Amino acid sequence: MFAPWFDNRGAIDTARAMLVIIQRTMYLLDRQLERLGDEFLDKGGFKERMHACRTEVRDAAAAPVPDAPPCPDCARPMRKRFPRNDSGSSEPFWGCPGFPKCRGTRRFEKE
């Protein structure tokens, strides 16, 4: 598009062409920054979106089991949980889906 402006033209025409290219580039970058700012306000930042995706996958994998016992504290159906590696236990347990607000747990009984 701008190639003819650079071929066999003087230094002034080449400089003008470069200024036009810079102005168009700045305009496009301003539009992109504005769009990214709006997207940040609507959807949050990268870490927030990454956390939302991870939470969605985790919640789908830890969906309540139909025969799950109720939480002893709040009576919500519990989810099968696995202890952290540093807890010293490898046995699964029933945990309240309202954690950390509700800390109800039960032992997981194998059927």
Side-chain angles (χ1 to χ4, degrees):
M1 180 171 169
F2 291 100
W5 288 28
F6 296 110
D7 295 335
N8 302 323
R9 297 271 177 126
I12 294 177
D13 289 336
T14 302
R16 287 180 182 151
M18 293 300 295
L19 288 174
V20 169
I21 291 171
I22 291 170
Q23 286 174 339
R24 288 188 180 190
T25 303
M26 293 299 294
Y27 170 75
L28 292 174
L29 287 173
D30 285 342
R31 284 184 51 201
Q32 184 177 17
L33 281 173
E34 190 174 309
R35 183 186 56 81
L36 288 172
D38 292 342
E39 186 177 309
F40 176 81
L41 293 175
D42 290 341
K43 298 179 183 178
F46 178 74
K47 286 185 179 182
E48 291 170 314
R49 287 183 290 186
M50 191 168 57
H51 175 71
C53 289
R54 178 66 187 124
T55 302
E56 183 179 315
V57 170
R58 184 189 66 215
D59 288 347
V65 180
D67 57 343
C71 175
D73 297 336
C74 67
R76 292 169 64 182
M78 300 184 92
R79 293 183 180 164
K80 185 178 178 182
R81 306 281 188 180
F82 296 91
R84 297 187 324 200
N85 293 338
D86 59 350
S87 68
S89 174
S90 62
E91 296 292 321
F93 63 95
W94 291 108
C96 183
F99 181 84
K101 291 179 183 176
C102 178
R103 296 182 174 265
T105 60
R106 288 181 185 248
R107 290 187 55 194
F108 183 79
E109 303 291 333
K110 294 182 182 178
E111 298 172 4

